[in-house]
């Protein structure tokens, strides 16, 4: 006996929709209905049944392509879901090639990155997949090459976000006034791999809570209605921010690099610097219909409020100094403060007028360099991303050639074949010194990567004396640092100058012994003679120390195996390294 159509539809409407496994299982049920008899198929074709599953899975898209899909499918959620899943499959196929094959790897990276936010959600799921590295308690459901796959997905997401940020800042530089200060400043977090939607959702929730706060205080929110008072509203916004934990950072933490990035000062680092607090204030104020802008004021950034009353002066909000004096008048407070800084009256205008985003972004670049020059320790001791961001902003805002060299010095492999050609280089005229430098950087990176890694067989007669394997954890006999071998040569392959400077010929076995390209636990790359290698019985905890400090460690190793009878562990070579050193994985297992 078949159930009636309306009952079947009701059953399908109750299938859970989520990113998690139960959401995928619901889709399999819907597909099974589509492949069954006519009645079940008719139930599963109902567009609205697919809507929650689409919205649960897809939070990002390319706006233009998405509008085309909606037009072609006439807004049918089932067809839209199918169209996005086909894009997902294409993206995952490209990711498979990137993980498993070095040949054509960069072409596949560029192709995947060019799909932009249409592939963000599927790559984010791959980047969050379980690995032994992030959850060693249970390896039973870890996919093959999970660590390497996760690395590539995360790295490509970073590049997609950075391309968006660079394109946004370039549009603003070219006079596109649709790009707001709030959006351009939110894009700073794109250089840390966060999507703009992540920041915008935080602001949306913050604005919603602030609106409720103002209503609870009986504030009039609509300009023009009786009782509307912009000064009172801005005062209450500052009180709301304080209730949410926002405020002035203490002096000892002023140069903390987390004060620069919105994803930090909107969440864990709400005690922050003036420019960041003004970003939050302006976002909330504008979200409530208040005309607020940053002001590039001496010493610290203020917020400028355009008075809705044409007979009243504009005023300013000192968000950072809100506990002392929150609201500043134009004619008294601001004029006195400017004069105190030695700025004559005829030169005041740039310091008291609403500022465009480029000066604010340059100010942020200076803040980054000041923080790093102050000796602030960056997360995992990796200042690469903040410096990359700072010099990229300098390059975009000043177009000076010197900053092209500084920015590309911190640019990783993937960004060199994605961010550079897809967003940064096209900004500059062909034939210009900056464009030539950028193109040369890209060419040199591609040329270096295209060199085929020779296959090194331990069983070959010339290699039989090589003692240690790729993946060996060791301690340097002289300098005592811990390292991990990622490649080997049967003899020293450095030039004569390096051999002389390193006193290689003074080693017991000289230059004709095996040398090992290795990563130190401090993140640096070393070239170590076999004489100086003291192998260690690596534990899981010891191996896990390498992943946070060596950003591309997962290119070399795709898994960790542990021994059941001891606490010893070993690294498993990635597909790329297995092809280069096909006998090392088995050899390392035997060595343990």
């Amino acid at each position: 006996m078949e159930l009636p159509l309306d009952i079947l539809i009701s059953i399908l409407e109750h299938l859970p929709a989520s990113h998690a496994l139960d959401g995928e299982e619901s889709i399999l049920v819907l597909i099974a209905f589509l492949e069954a008899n006519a009645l079940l198929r008719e139930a599963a074709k109902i567009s609205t049944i697919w809507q929650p599953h689409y919205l649960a899975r897809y939070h990002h898209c390319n706006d233009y392509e998405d509008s085309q899909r909606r037009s072609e499918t006439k807004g049918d959620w089932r067809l839209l879901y199918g169209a996005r899943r086909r894009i997902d499959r294409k993206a995952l196929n490209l990711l498979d090639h990137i993980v498993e094959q070095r040949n054509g790897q960069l072409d596949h990276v560029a192709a995947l990155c060019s799909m932009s936010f249409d592939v963000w959600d599927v790559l984010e799921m791959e980047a969050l997949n379980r690995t032994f590295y992030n959850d060693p308690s249970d390896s039973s459901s870890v996919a093959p090459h999970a660590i390497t796959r996760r690395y590539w997905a995360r790295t490509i997401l970073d590049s997609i976000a950075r391309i968006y940020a660079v394109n946004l800042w370039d549009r603003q530089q070219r006079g596109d006034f649709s790009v707001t200060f709030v959006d351009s400043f939110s894009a700073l977090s794109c250089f840390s791999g966060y999507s703009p939607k992540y920041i915008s959702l935080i602001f949306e929730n913050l604005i919603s809570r602030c609106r409720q706060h103002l209503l609870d205080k009986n504030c009039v929110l609509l300009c023009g209605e009786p009782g509307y008072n912009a000064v009172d509203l801005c005062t209450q916004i500052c009180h709301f921010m304080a209730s949410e934990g926002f405020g002035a950072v203490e002096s000892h933490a002023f140069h903390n690099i987390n004060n620069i990035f919105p994803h930090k000062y909107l969440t864990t680092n709400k005690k922050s610097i003036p420019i960041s607090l003004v970003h939050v204030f302006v976002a909330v104020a504008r979200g409530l219909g208040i005309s607020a802008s940053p002001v590039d004021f001496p010493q610290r950034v203020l917020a400028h409020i355009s008075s809705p009353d044409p007979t009243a002066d504009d005023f300013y909000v000192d968000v950072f100094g809100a506990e002392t004096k929150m609201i500043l008048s134009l004619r008294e407070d601001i004029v006195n403060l400017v004069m105190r800084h030695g700025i004559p009256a005829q030169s005041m205008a740039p310091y008291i007028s609403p500022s465009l985003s480029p000066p604010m972004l340059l100010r942020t670049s200076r803040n980054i360099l000041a923080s790093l020059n102050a000796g602030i320790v960056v997360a995992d001791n990796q200042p690469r991303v903040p410096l990359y961001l700072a010099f990229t902003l300098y390059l975009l805002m000043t177009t000076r050639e010197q900053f092209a060299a500084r920015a590309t010095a911190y640019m990783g492999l993937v960004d060199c074949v994605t961010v550079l050609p897809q967003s940064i280089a096209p900004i500059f005229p062909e034939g210009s010194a900056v464009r030539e430098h950028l193109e040369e950087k890209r060419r040199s990176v591609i040329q270096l990567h295209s060199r085929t890694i020779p296959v090194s067989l331990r069983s070959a007669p010339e290699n039989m004396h090589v003692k240690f394997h790729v993946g060996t954890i060791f301690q340097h006999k002289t300098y005592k640092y811990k390292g991990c071998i990622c490649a080997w040569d049967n003899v020293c392959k450095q030039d004569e100058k390096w051999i002389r400077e390193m006193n290689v010929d003074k080693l017991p076995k000289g230059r004709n012994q095996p040398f090992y390209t290795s990563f130190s636990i401090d993140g640096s790359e070393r070239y170590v003679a076999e004489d100086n290698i003291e192998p260690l019985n690596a534990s899981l905890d010891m191996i896990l120390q390498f992943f946070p400090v060596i950003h591309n460690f997962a290119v070399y190793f795709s898994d960790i195996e542990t021994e059941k009878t001891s606490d010893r562990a070993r690294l498993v070579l990635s597909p790329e390294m297995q092809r280069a050193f096909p006998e090392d994985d088995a050899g390392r297992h035997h060595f343990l």
Side-chain angles (χ1 to χ4, degrees):
M1 177 180 173
E2 288 187 339
L3 293 173
L5 179 61
D6 59 337
I7 299 297
L8 292 173
I9 293 172
S10 179
I11 291 171
L12 295 182
E13 286 175 340
H14 284 82
L15 290 173
S18 74
H19 253 314
L21 182 61
D22 57 348
E24 192 69 17
E25 289 174 347
S26 297
I27 295 300
L28 294 176
V29 171
L30 288 170
I31 292 172
F33 268 53
L34 289 171
E35 295 173 345
N37 61 41
L39 184 64
L40 298 180
R41 190 159 53 248
E42 184 179 358
K45 280 187 174 181
I46 301 295
S47 172
T48 54
I49 288 174
W50 292 81
Q51 182 179 5
H53 302 283
Y54 182 95
L55 296 178
R57 184 178 178 93
Y58 298 111
H59 305 144
H60 300 78
C61 66
N62 299 330
D63 291 339
Y64 177 74
E65 286 81 357
D66 191 58
S67 65
Q68 283 189 314
R69 286 191 293 268
R70 290 179 184 275
S71 175
E72 292 168 359
T73 61
K74 296 181 172 57
D76 186 301
W77 291 103
R78 178 177 64 86
L79 299 178
L80 280 170
Y81 188 93
R84 290 299 298 269
R85 287 303 288 259
R86 285 190 290 275
I87 293 171
D88 290 353
R89 284 197 294 273
K90 181 178 179 181
L92 294 177
N93 286 336
L94 287 169
L95 187 60
D96 288 341
H97 286 295
I98 292 165
V99 170
E100 296 171 6
Q101 295 286 342
R102 186 179 177 88
N103 291 337
Q105 190 177 62
L106 297 185
D107 291 334
H108 292 128
V109 166
L112 186 49
C113 197
S114 69
M115 297 168 77
S116 193
F117 289 106
D118 270 355
V119 296
W120 184 278
D121 296 298
V122 69
L123 289 180
E124 192 168 51
M125 283 188 275
E126 291 293 318
L128 294 173
N129 274 344
R130 288 186 65 258
T131 66
F132 195 91
Y133 159 47
N134 76 325
D135 184 8
S137 62
D138 177 19
S139 61
S140 59
S141 59
V142 174
H145 319 310
I147 295 175
T148 303
R149 191 176 186 84
R150 182 182 170 120
Y151 163 82
W152 282 110
R154 181 68 262 168
T155 303
I156 292 166
L157 285 170
D158 292 348
S159 295
I160 290 172
R162 289 170 188 154
I163 289 170
Y164 166 86
V166 171
N167 288 340
L168 190 78
W169 296 330
D170 178 51
R171 283 170 48 203
Q172 193 168 57
Q173 277 286 85
R174 295 176 185 273
D176 185 345
F177 293 107
S178 68
V179 180
T180 67
F181 160 73
V182 173
D183 288 342
S184 66
F185 234 66
S186 295
L188 293 170
S189 284
C190 291
F191 264 65
S192 290
Y194 288 83
S195 82
K197 193 171 185 67
Y198 174 81
I199 304 298
S200 68
L201 285 174
I202 294 178
F203 274 133
E204 285 177 19
N205 291 328
L206 196 63
I207 292 165
S208 177
R209 294 198 299 276
C210 186
R211 180 178 286 106
Q212 188 59 53
H213 169 87
L214 296 175
L215 291 174
D216 291 342
K217 298 293 182 180
N218 297 316
C219 295
V220 177
L221 301 184
L222 189 60
C223 182
E225 285 195 351
Y228 182 86
N229 188 311
V231 172
D232 287 348
L233 284 176
C234 290
T235 301
Q236 285 298 333
I237 291 172
C238 287
H239 290 327
F240 164 76
M241 287 178 59
S243 73
E244 290 276 324
F246 294 99
V249 69
E250 295 183 12
S251 58
H252 68 85
F254 195 90
H255 289 295
N256 187 323
I257 204 70
N258 289 330
N259 293 326
I260 301 296
F261 294 98
H263 65 277
K264 288 295 187 180
Y265 60 73
L266 282 168
T267 54
T268 58
N269 290 71
K270 292 182 178 182
K271 302 293 185 186
S272 196
I273 58 178
I275 196 169
S276 302
L277 293 175
V278 166
H279 177 218
V280 178
F281 176 88
V282 169
V284 173
R286 288 186 180 181
L288 297 168
I290 299 170
S291 181
S293 303
V295 177
D296 196 13
F297 201 75
Q299 191 174 16
R300 68 187 187 214
V301 176
L302 303 175
H304 172 276
I305 309 299
S306 296
S307 175
D309 182 356
T311 64
D313 284 340
D314 294 347
F315 62 93
Y316 299 79
V317 180
D318 184 359
V319 189
F320 186 82
E323 292 185 0
T324 304
K325 189 170 185 179
M326 188 184 306
I327 305 298
L328 306 177
S329 67
L330 172 59
R331 296 178 188 273
E332 295 182 8
D333 298 319
I334 294 298
V335 169
N336 290 336
L337 285 171
V338 171
M339 293 181 69
R340 197 180 300 166
H341 284 286
I343 299 170
Q346 63 270 22
S347 303
M348 285 185 184
Y351 301 102
I352 64 175
S353 302
S355 176
L356 297 175
S357 297
M360 295 290 100
L361 292 171
L362 280 175
R363 193 161 178 159
T364 291
S365 300
R366 294 193 293 271
N367 287 343
I368 292 173
L369 297 184
S371 293
L372 297 177
N373 288 336
I376 299 300
V377 176
V378 183
D380 300 325
N381 201 29
Q382 294 288 340
R384 186 180 68 87
V385 169
L387 287 170
Y388 180 18
L389 169 60
F391 289 119
T392 298
L393 286 172
Y394 271 121
L395 175 62
L396 298 177
M397 304 301 154
T398 68
T399 70
R400 295 177 188 169
E401 183 183 2
Q402 69 192 80
F403 295 122
R406 301 298 295 273
T408 54
Y410 298 102
M411 192 176 286
L413 169 68
V414 171
D415 279 11
C416 283
V417 297
T418 56
V419 179
L420 199 158
Q422 293 182 30
S423 60
I424 297 179
I427 293 171
F428 301 93
E430 290 191 19
S432 66
V434 172
R435 181 71 172 261
E436 285 300 314
H437 175 88
L438 297 174
E439 295 289 359
E440 177 55 32
K441 172 70 175 183
R442 177 174 173 268
R443 285 192 295 268
S444 63
V445 166
I446 291 174
Q447 183 179 14
L448 183 64
H449 186 271
S450 65
R451 295 175 185 170
T452 303
I453 298 178
V455 175
S456 299
L457 296 173
R458 307 183 66 82
S459 58
E462 67 274 16
N463 296 331
M464 295 190 70
H465 64 301
V466 177
K467 185 175 181 180
F468 303 116
H469 306 76
V470 174
T472 297
I473 306 296
F474 68 90
Q475 179 174 279
H476 194 283
K477 288 182 178 178
T478 302
Y479 299 115
K480 304 303 179 184
Y481 64 81
K482 290 185 178 66
C484 176
I485 294 172
C486 60
W488 50 260
D489 297 316
N490 56 13
V491 295
C492 183
K493 296 294 178 70
Q494 297 287 354
D495 58 30
E496 285 295 325
K497 181 174 181 292
W498 188 90
I499 289 173
R500 286 197 304 273
E501 289 176 350
M502 296 295 109
N503 295 316
V504 170
D505 289 329
K506 294 183 179 180
L507 292 169
K509 291 190 287 188
R511 68 177 67 189
N512 292 318
Q513 63 178 305
F515 272 71
Y516 300 86
T517 301
S518 307
F519 286 118
S520 167
I521 197 66
D522 65 4
S524 60
E525 188 173 304
R526 311 290 180 95
Y527 196 57
V528 186
E530 190 169 272
D531 281 337
N532 288 322
I533 299 285
E534 184 177 335
L536 300 173
N537 287 325
S539 65
L540 177 61
D541 288 342
M542 190 184 299
I543 288 175
L544 291 178
Q545 293 176 35
F546 286 88
F547 283 93
V549 295
I550 303 164
H551 75 278
N552 62 337
F553 200 61
V555 172
Y556 299 88
F557 306 104
S558 63
D559 206 347
I560 303 171
E561 289 182 353
T562 56
E563 289 189 354
K564 295 180 179 179
T565 57
S566 72
D567 64 348
R568 288 191 298 178
R570 76 180 191 101
L571 287 158
V572 178
L573 274 60
S574 68
E576 186 175 321
M577 296 306 292
Q578 286 176 8
R579 287 185 177 85
F581 299 94
E583 297 174 347
D584 272 51
D585 221 19
R588 173 68 181 143
H589 188 274
H590 177 72
F591 181 79
L592 279 175

